[in-house]
Amino acid sequence: MSGARSDAALHQAFVSVRSRVQPVGAGVLITQSLVLTCAHVVNSALDRDRFTQAVPDRNQVVRLRMPHVSAGQEFHGRVVPEMWRPPRARRSGPAQPPPPGTLPYYGDLAVLELDLPAPTGAEPAPFLAHRDGGEVLALWTSGHELPTVRAVPRVSSVPWIALDVVGGRVAKGFSGGPLWDRERQAVVGVVVAEHGVGDARTTDATRADHDGHPKPSAVLQTMYAIGLPTIESELPELPPVAVPMAARGRQQLLAALEQLLPNPQWVAECTRWLSTRLGRATGDTAVTDPARLVGLAMGVRRGIPELLDVVRTHLSGRVPSADPYGTPGWAQLLRVARVVSPREILTLRQQRDLTGLLAHCRTTDPASLLRSVLPYADELPAVSSPAHAMEVLEGYEAPAGQPMPPLLQGAVRVSLAEREGGAHPSDDLDAWVEMAAARFGIPLAGVEQFRADVAAEERVPARADAGRRPHAPRVQVELLPAAPGNRFTYQIWVWTDGGRHDVVLAQDTEVSSHHVVESIRHVLRTEVEEHPETALVEYFVASAWLRLEVDTWQCHENGHDGAFLPGITRRVVLRSSQRTRETYAGWKRRTKALAASPHLVLDERSADPAVAQAVLEINPDAGVVIVCCDRQRQSSVLQQCIQAGVHTVLWHRHGDGEDIAAELVNLVEGVDHHGIPEAVRMERAKALACPETPVHHGRQLSLLHDGPDHRPPPLAPDAWTLTHP
C-alpha cells in the first residue's frame, strides 16, 4: 500500500470479523475493549440472515482477528445490547428490515465488546467527520496491504456518504471496515454497501457478505459509508471516539490551565472527572500533571468542551466569588480552547441532547436556517438536516457586538419555527438553549431579548405567507438504463413539503419501461399525500440517456382508472444526475439572472459542440435554451448545455427547422420558469387530442428542467445539488 507507514493508525485499529471458516466483514477498534462494525456483518458471522432484527444473545461469540497487530491470534467479541442497531427500512417508526436491494436504509451498526483487552500494538482509531473531495481508502478483511479500494467522497446525506470508486473494486469483506482519510489520518466512516452499474444489475456489499456469491463485473461503482455524525446519532451510548492529536494551541492550553489550577490536587480531581466522562482510563488515579489532563482532552472527540465544563464545575465550588467567569485566566482558557478545537463548543451530552430534539423538527429548512444565521458568509455548505446545519453553525464565532453564538441563534430560530407544530420540541429546545447559554456565560436576559427580536422579525413574513399553498409532492426516479436503453433498474424517492425525503421503492433487476411506469403509479397511489396541485415526476438520468422518451411511456388500461400516461397525466421533467462541481458557477450565475434573462436558441448553426459552447459562453445569463438541430447531434448539444449550467432545455426529439424553433419560443414566451413543466404537459395533451395533426409540435417534445428548486435523491452525485426549494 502506498504510504503504508503513514497509515499505521489504520492498521492498528483494523479488525477482521470472521465466520467459522472465512472473513465476512471488518470492524474498527474504538476503545481498548470495543469494536465498531455493521450489524449485517455480525449477522453473517453468526450465520443469521443479514437483516435479522433480534439482538444476538450474549452467549453468541463473534470471532475477530487483528491482522496487522497479531495475525495468528483469534479474539472473541459479544454484541453490546444497547448498541445494536439492525438494518431498518425507515429513519423512525416500527423497526422492520429494508426490502431486498434497497439503498439506502437506516441503522446497520453494532458494537462488540472484547472478552480481553486488545493486545499491545492495537490502538483505537482516530475519527473525524468526512468532507467532500479528498481521496479515501477502504481496507479488505484479508489483512493484506492489497487489495484496497480508493474512492472520492461525492456527497454526504442522511443516512450515508456516497463515494465514487476510482481504484480497485469493492468485494466481499469490506463491509464494516473503516473508511480512511489519508490526508487527515483519520477514519471518516464505516463501509456499508456498494452499487455497481455496467450490466444494469444492482448489488450491495451486504448481500455478498451473506451469501458469498460472486458479484457481476461492473464498469462503475459507488461505495457507501456511514459517517461519524450518523454513527453518533444512531449510537448515543457510544463512548467518545478518539481524534487525531493536534499540536496547535497545546502549550497555550497548558499555560491557561496552570493559571486556573495551581493546586496539584485540583489537577488530579479534574483529571478523574474528565476520564470518567470520556470513558478513558488514566492509569494512576492521583495524576497531578496538567499535560496528562490536556492530552486526555485533546485525544477524543468533544474532549475540549468536556474539559471546559469540568474546570468550570470545579472552579464554581472553589473560587471565592463562586463565579468561574470572573476568575483570572478563564477568558484566556476559552480563547485558547477555540484555537485547539475550533469547531466544537458543545459537550458530548449537550450535542446528543440537541440532536435528539432536532430529530423531531419537521418545519425547519436547514439551508434557509444557515442563510438566516450567517448572512455574511460567502459560501455555505449544502446541509441535509437541522442537525447537520447546527454542526456547521457550531464552527462559527459570534459577530462583533452579538453575544449569542451562531449555534444558539440557530437553536432559537428552530424553536420559533417549530412552535406552531406544538409545544414539543420547542419548549425543550428553549430549555436547552437557556442551559447552554448559562454554561457559556450568556445572561438569560440576552437570550430572551434575542428570542423576542427574532419573533418580531418573523411576524411580517409570516403574515405575507399566510394562505400559501404547499409545494406539490415529488416522485423522483433515479433511472439506470442498460444498453441499448430498453431495460432499466431504478430507485424511487418521495419528497414532500412536510420534510419527508425517503426512498420508497428499489428495482435491482432489469425491467421494461412499462414496469417503471407501473411502479411510479403505485408510489403515487400509496406514498404521496395528494395536494390540489398534482405531483411532479422527476427522472434523474445520466446525460447519455437524456433523449429517452420517458414522457411517452405508459402503463395500459388498468381497471376503472384507464391508461396512465405520465407525460400527460402528470408533469414529467428530466434532470441530469451527472452535473459536476465545475458547472456550479455557471448554474449559480444563471439562477440569479433567470427572471430577466432572454431565451436562447441553438439551431443547426450551433450543432457543432464547439460552436454551441462558444454561443453559451457569450450568453452567460441565458437560463432557458431551445435546441433545434438535427436529432443526431442533439446529444452533444445537450451535454454542452449541462456543462454550461443551463437550467432548462426544451427540444423536439424528431424535428428541427425554423418553424419548430419559433413554436417552442412562443410556448415559453411570457411563462414563468416554474410554469414551464405545466406548459409542456399541456402541449403534449393538445397533440394527443388532435390525432389528425401528426406534425403537432407537442409530439416528441422533451424538457430538461434543472431549475433553482433542484432537489435530487439523497445520494445524487454532486454535493452542490443538495439545495432546497
Side-chain angles (χ1 to χ4, degrees), residues 73-113:
Q73 186 178 0
E74 186 169 270
F75 303 87
H76 291 164
R78 304 170 196 271
V79 171
V80 180
E82 58 269 25
M83 289 189 273
W84 170 254
R85 299 292 183 274
R88 63 182 188 275
R90 297 189 182 279
R91 183 183 308 184
S92 58
Q96 59 184 85
T102 298
L103 296 175
Y105 49 80
Y106 295 86
D108 208 351
L109 290 166
V111 174
L112 301 173
E113 184 177 16

Side-chain angles (χ1 to χ4, degrees), residues 320-335:
S321 66
D323 179 12
Y325 302 106
T327 304
W330 179 256
Q332 170 71 3
L333 180 64
L334 292 179
R335 186 189 68 78

Side-chain angles (χ1 to χ4, degrees), residues 261-613:
L261 304 175
N263 187 324
Q265 297 307 314
W266 293 8
V267 175
E269 182 176 329
C270 288
T271 303
R272 286 195 298 272
W273 286 0
L274 185 60
S275 62
T276 300
R277 285 193 180 199
L278 300 179
R280 295 295 194 272
T282 60
D284 185 357
T285 58
V287 174
T288 60
D289 184 2
R292 291 284 296 277
L293 180 60
V294 169
L296 186 65
M298 294 180 65
V300 300
R301 184 162 165 84
R302 300 197 174 274
I304 296 299
E306 294 284 359
L307 172 65
L308 294 178
D309 199 56
V310 163
V311 173
R312 189 199 72 84
T313 302
H314 172 84
L315 292 177
S316 64
R318 293 287 192 280
V319 297
S321 66
D323 179 12
Y325 302 106
T327 304
W330 179 256
Q332 170 71 3
L333 180 64
L334 292 179
R335 186 189 68 78
V336 175
R338 292 296 275 176
V339 173
V340 177
S341 181
R343 303 197 63 83
E344 296 177 344
I345 62 175
L346 298 180
T347 65
L348 192 64
R349 178 175 295 178
Q350 289 171 332
Q351 188 265 341
R352 286 173 174 171
D353 287 346
L354 179 61
T355 300
L357 291 172
L358 294 174
H360 297 280
C361 296
R362 295 291 181 267
T363 303
T364 302
D365 172 30
S368 298
L369 177 66
L370 285 188
R371 288 193 295 270
S372 298
V373 179
L374 302 173
Y376 49 83
D378 293 332
E379 294 289 340
L380 292 172
V383 287
S384 56
S385 67
H388 189 185
M390 287 298 180
E391 186 179 346
V392 172
L393 292 176
E394 191 176 359
Y396 283 83
E397 297 281 0
Q402 173 57 265
M404 290 274 285
L407 176 73
L408 294 189
Q409 293 183 37
V412 168
R413 289 180 179 274
V414 172
S415 175
L416 290 171
E418 300 290 330
R419 176 67 62 184
E420 293 182 4
H424 180 76
S426 292
D427 287 347
D428 286 326
L429 273 171
D430 288 345
W432 182 91
V433 168
E434 291 166 9
M435 288 189 293
R439 292 283 183 174
F440 298 155
I442 300 171
L444 179 59
V447 176
E448 292 175 342
Q449 183 61 57
F450 179 80
R451 186 180 290 127
D453 292 343
V454 174
E457 168 192 318
E458 294 293 332
R459 284 191 195 107
V460 173
R463 286 197 299 270
D465 249 2
R468 178 184 70 87
R469 294 172 65 188
H471 291 289
R474 304 184 188 182
V475 174
Q476 303 175 321
V477 186
E478 187 177 37
L479 198 63
L480 303 167
N486 53 9
R487 305 286 290 178
F488 310 91
T489 60
Y490 56 88
Q491 294 190 74
I492 300 180
W493 280 260
V494 166
W495 182 92
T496 66
D497 206 24
R500 181 186 181 191
H501 198 202
D502 297 324
V503 61
V504 294
L505 192 63
Q507 176 66 38
D508 61 352
T509 57
E510 298 171 19
V511 296
S512 66
S513 60
H514 174 75
H515 193 288
V516 178
V517 179
E518 283 187 331
S519 296
I520 293 171
R521 191 177 207 183
H522 171 76
V523 169
L524 286 167
R525 284 173 166 169
T526 60
E527 298 286 348
V528 172
E529 181 183 349
E530 291 289 359
H531 295 293
E533 190 177 354
T534 57
L536 174 66
V537 177
E538 303 173 319
Y539 286 91
F540 289 83
V541 294
S543 57
W545 302 101
L546 284 175
R547 297 183 70 245
L548 285 172
E549 300 181 7
V550 296
D551 43 63
T552 66
W553 289 356
Q554 60 180 297
C555 65
H556 305 298
E557 189 169 339
N558 184 6
H560 65 279
D561 291 336
F564 177 64
L565 298 85
I568 296 171
T569 311
R570 304 281 169 153
R571 293 170 297 150
V572 171
V573 300
L574 287 170
R575 289 190 159 169
S576 171
S577 62
Q578 288 188 326
R579 287 189 182 271
T580 66
R581 290 180 178 82
E582 287 71 22
T583 70
Y584 177 52
W587 186 90
K588 189 175 181 181
R589 181 180 61 247
R590 294 175 194 271
T591 297
K592 292 180 179 178
L594 198 56
S597 61
H599 307 319
L600 177 65
V601 176
L602 296 180
D603 55 19
E604 199 60 45
R605 292 169 296 181
S606 305
D608 182 277
V611 177
Q613 180 181 3

Side-chain angles (χ1 to χ4, degrees), residues 212-279:
H213 293 163
K215 296 190 289 185
S217 61
V219 176
L220 302 173
Q221 264 197 316
T222 298
M223 181 167 63
Y224 300 115
I226 306 174
L228 181 58
T230 300
I231 293 170
E232 291 180 330
S233 176
E234 289 275 359
L235 300 172
E237 303 85 358
L238 192 72
V241 294
V243 295
M245 291 290 285
R248 187 182 180 199
R250 183 184 179 92
Q251 297 304 315
Q252 299 175 63
L253 193 61
L254 273 172
L257 283 175
E258 287 180 352
Q259 181 180 0
L260 285 169
L261 304 175
N263 187 324
Q265 297 307 314
W266 293 8
V267 175
E269 182 176 329
C270 288
T271 303
R272 286 195 298 272
W273 286 0
L274 185 60
S275 62
T276 300
R277 285 193 180 199
L278 300 179

